Amino acid sequence: MLTLKQLETFVQVVELGTFERASLRLNATQSTVSKRISELEQATGLRLFDRSRRNARLTEEGERLLELAYTTLDGAKHILELNEQPERTLHRVRIGFTDLAALTWLPGFLRDYTIERPDIRLDVTIDMSRTLYQQFQDGELDLVVIPQVPEAFAQPGVEARLLEEVEMAFMAREGLVDGSRPITIGALERYTLISQGKRSGFAQDVNRWLSHQGVAAANLTADNLLALVGLVAAGCGISVLPKLCVQRFAREQGLEILETTPPLPTIGYYALYHGGVRIQLLDELAHRLSDAADFTRPFFLSENRPDRD
């Protein structure tokens, strides 16, 4: 017999990628998860997963069932909510951001969104993008705002919304880097390159790009963005930083934006979230995040203070 519990288990296995992660999310044993999937296959007569692969990879039949499973679970949720008082409903959303969002538009967003949607409680985590993505995969976060993670776009059930393309630039203490401008990327190799570590998505993107230009990766790392700015301001080396955000206070910190050839690529920041029974809620939240996202203005600068070019 087909049950909602089987469909819920099926969706969790698909969204989280493995039976083990699904069992943790569902607070069930792996054998229970496997049994529910087997019962679902018997009830539908469909072979849902390719078991020759390590991860839970859907078959074509599984892909066809997935959309119907989402629709069925969403309908069941609405049925169960018919007798609830809407004013008593409090939706909890676990959401993660990197420190660039926390230093720019996130404080203002949280202030405004709390007033706009008192029915939603946001549990916020600030961390490095790779850590946030792992927590998202493990089911510990419902939505994350991070630089593009290529493997996320290949996962079934994962939605992605581009929030903003962030312009990056090399920066150094004024007078540290000599020569004419724009300066070639290769000419910067004689300086110490400071970067965030391996848990940073944008640092990995930058290092890959530098590798294609024949330039070695960073040899001094600091995970905190403000620490990077401090090390550069102290003349410890050069770093790739979000251009428009940092240049607003770069001059008073004695920093110089280094125009390079070729210029650095932009880095896209995305909202990633799982589909499923809460897709409408997370879609609306991602849309609101897209409206609010502005990675160019540090929140600690007064809105009435003139920008410094």
Side-chain angles (χ1 to χ4, degrees):
M1 181 176 67
L2 183 65
T3 67
L4 292 176
K5 187 68 72 176
Q6 294 165 1
L7 291 176
E8 180 188 16
T9 301
F10 170 61
V11 167
Q12 292 300 324
V13 171
V14 172
E15 289 185 350
L16 298 179
T18 68
F19 282 47
E20 179 183 4
R21 290 172 181 162
S23 68
L24 293 174
R25 168 72 73 85
L26 296 168
N27 195 25
T29 64
Q30 289 190 53
S31 61
T32 298
V33 170
S34 297
K35 181 181 178 183
R36 290 175 186 171
I37 296 300
S38 296
E39 290 173 345
L40 179 59
E41 289 181 324
Q42 291 174 9
T44 60
L46 302 175
R47 181 170 170 271
L48 303 177
F49 292 103
D50 181 356
R51 288 174 171 78
S52 67
R53 298 176 177 270
R54 182 176 180 181
N55 289 335
R57 184 69 61 86
L58 283 175
T59 63
E60 290 185 7
E61 292 177 330
E63 291 279 3
R64 292 199 299 270
L65 179 63
L66 181 61
E67 190 62 37
L68 291 173
Y70 280 138
T71 302
T72 302
L73 290 172
D74 191 46
K77 176 176 178 289
H78 289 307
I79 291 172
L80 294 173
E81 290 175 347
L82 286 176
N83 198 35
E84 294 182 3
Q85 296 296 325
E87 63 270 20
R88 295 180 182 176
T89 301
L90 181 63
H91 301 284
R92 176 180 175 233
V93 181
R94 301 163 302 171
I95 187 168
F97 301 87
T98 63
D99 57 355
L100 179 56
L103 290 170
T104 51
W105 56 274
L106 180 59
F109 167 79
L110 294 176
R111 176 196 63 212
D112 297 340
Y113 195 73
T114 300
I115 298 173
E116 293 171 15
R117 295 298 303 268
D119 59 316
I120 296 177
R121 190 185 91 183
L122 297 180
D123 292 349
V124 179
T125 298
I126 309 296
D127 212 322
M128 304 294 288
S129 57
R130 283 287 168 180
T131 301
L132 294 174
Y133 182 62
Q134 187 60 56
Q135 292 176 331
F136 174 72
Q137 282 190 302
D138 292 343
E140 298 172 15
L141 293 174
D142 302 305
L143 184 151
V144 291
V145 173
I146 57 177
Q148 177 180 340
V149 180
E151 56 264 36
F153 293 86
Q155 289 189 22
V158 173
E159 304 291 333
R161 178 188 289 270
L162 176 64
L163 301 187
E164 192 171 71
E165 293 282 352
V166 178
E167 186 177 1
M168 311 302 293
F170 278 99
M171 295 191 183
R173 182 175 181 83
E174 290 180 347
L176 178 69
V177 177
D178 54 16
S180 61
R181 304 291 190 270
I183 189 169
T184 64
I185 294 295
L188 295 177
E189 196 168 21
R190 57 194 170 122
Y191 300 96
T192 298
L193 178 58
I194 312 170
S195 175
Q196 290 186 321
K198 294 181 179 179
R199 295 188 300 134
S200 165
F202 101 70
Q204 289 189 341
D205 288 342
V206 169
N207 285 337
R208 278 193 295 267
W209 185 84
L210 289 174
S211 177
H212 292 156
Q213 307 302 317
V215 177
N219 44 21
L220 175 59
T221 61
D223 282 347
N224 184 276
L225 184 59
L226 285 180
L228 284 181
V229 176
L231 289 170
V232 174
C236 297
I238 63 175
S239 184
V240 175
L241 297 168
K243 179 178 179 180
L244 296 179
C245 172
V246 176
Q247 79 174 3
R248 293 180 185 273
F249 60 96
R251 188 166 298 169
E252 65 186 41
Q253 298 296 322
L255 299 182
E256 175 190 7
I257 294 174
L258 304 174
E259 299 297 336
T260 61
T261 178
L264 283 157
T266 60
I267 293 179
Y269 275 74
Y270 287 79
L272 298 181
Y273 52 101
H274 293 295
V277 295
R278 297 210 298 171
I279 182 66
Q280 183 176 356
L281 172 63
L282 295 178
D283 263 338
E284 291 174 355
L285 177 56
H287 180 75
R288 182 64 180 81
L289 289 168
S290 179
D291 290 341
D294 178 3
F295 292 91
T296 68
R297 182 181 294 276
F299 79 88
F300 46 82
L301 289 185
S302 168
E303 293 183 359
N304 297 321
R305 181 179 177 179
D307 296 338
R308 296 178 181 269
D309 296 322

